Amino acid sequence: MEKDKQLSVETMQIDEPCCIANTGCVFDGNLSNVVGECIFVDKVYDSVTFNLQGIQPVSKAPFGTLPTKKCGPKSRITRVLDIRVRKAFNPNNINDPKNLTITPKTTLSGAQFVLDERGKPVVVPGPAGLLQFLIFTDTTECDQEGLGTPIFGSQEICVSGTVIIEIDVEFITALGVTETATLRGRAAVNQTLTNFFELCMPSVFDSAFLPQFTEFCNISFLGRLATQSITRDINFNPATGEIFINLILALCITCEKKIKVPVQLCVLSTGFCEQEARVRPICGDQFPPLFPPQVSEPFVNGDTDPC
């Protein structure tokens, strides 16, 4: 009985459908606990953000069927309540061709990507595994002015894959009763958008590191009936319940491009992020720490203390 009781505590059933994240950062307002730290990170030297848009027509996309027992000569779809569109993603296969992907293809002018002996761009890993490309140009002229060197580029953004579409509709059954239903379907997306940009590049000579170029994009979709007419855009078979719909999808894309350089920064710190661990009866408070203690006293030359 005691064992079953302990198990019920460990499983800790979640009653809430959503949650609030805990960063593990706590500051009590005492400035004496704030110390200077030196961190080695990538700094954004210059960046630009773009909003791009495109149109994807969807013709006669299948959206399943309404229940046949509710269909008949008098049944029909009378109203579209909402249209929702989201990216398709298969977590069991990241390379699934049906996954929606955004692939930027960038060409630089006034600078070049650094290549290896096989002619392939040299990349370094960035946050979340994001690839960062080393770039190079002769920055001597602007270095003498103490300024950055402008570079330009053109880009093709290829969007391909599948989107999942949900449409809430009102329909009249064979008995004349008005009901609601959610129709679900998929549609292929294949669009290429073009873009031009300008960035400012730091010196390649007054640094131990070459600048890094990186870019990333995100996309959302807005859906509507192709001609905003239920009669023309929704093909409903009252005998079988089959539904085919014509749609227009608006592609709303946000892209950001950055030039980054490794730097050392002095920051004010209140300490390490620490989570309060759940206590276990055997070890108690004898668990080892994950990080060394915060150093709150600066080193003083000539101090006889060996630590």
Side-chain angles (χ1 to χ4, degrees), residues 64-196:
T65 62
L66 291 177
T68 54
K69 62 181 181 180
K70 295 185 179 182
C71 297
K74 296 182 179 180
S75 60
R76 66 183 187 276
I77 296 175
T78 58
R79 185 182 176 191
V80 174
L81 303 175
D82 189 27
I83 300 177
R84 299 178 296 277
V85 187
R86 57 186 172 88
K87 298 178 284 188
F89 179 71
N90 178 9
N92 296 317
N93 182 8
I94 195 171
N95 296 317
D96 190 332
K98 294 181 181 179
N99 291 342
L100 190 88
T101 58
I102 307 174
T103 307
K105 300 178 181 179
T106 300
T107 302
L108 294 181
S109 177
Q112 70 175 78
F113 294 112
V114 177
L115 308 178
D116 62 15
E117 70 280 2
R118 294 172 294 179
K120 295 184 177 181
V122 178
V123 297
V124 294
L130 185 68
L131 295 182
Q132 303 176 142
F133 298 85
L134 298 183
I135 57 176
F136 179 86
T137 192
D138 187 351
T139 60
T140 304
E141 181 178 352
C142 291
D143 289 350
Q144 295 174 353
E145 301 292 333
L147 300 172
T149 300
I151 64 172
F152 304 88
S154 61
Q155 182 181 60
E156 288 186 350
I157 300 175
C158 302
V159 182
S160 62
T162 306
V163 293
I164 300 172
I165 307 172
E166 295 181 342
I167 303 178
D168 296 334
V169 298
E170 279 186 358
F171 70 99
I172 297 177
T173 67
L175 300 177
V177 179
T178 299
E179 295 188 9
T180 60
T182 299
L183 310 176
R184 294 178 175 85
R186 290 174 175 258
V189 176
N190 188 9
Q191 291 287 317
T192 299
L193 307 177
T194 58
N195 183 39
F196 301 92

Side-chain angles (χ1 to χ4, degrees), residues 50-55 87 100 102 159 193 217-223 249-255:
F50 299 96
N51 290 326
L52 307 173
Q53 58 187 10
I55 296 294
K87 298 178 284 188
L100 190 88
I102 307 174
V159 182
L193 307 177
C217 301
N218 195 15
I219 187 170
S220 62
F221 296 88
L222 298 176
L249 302 181
L251 285 66
C252 309
I253 302 175
T254 300
C255 288

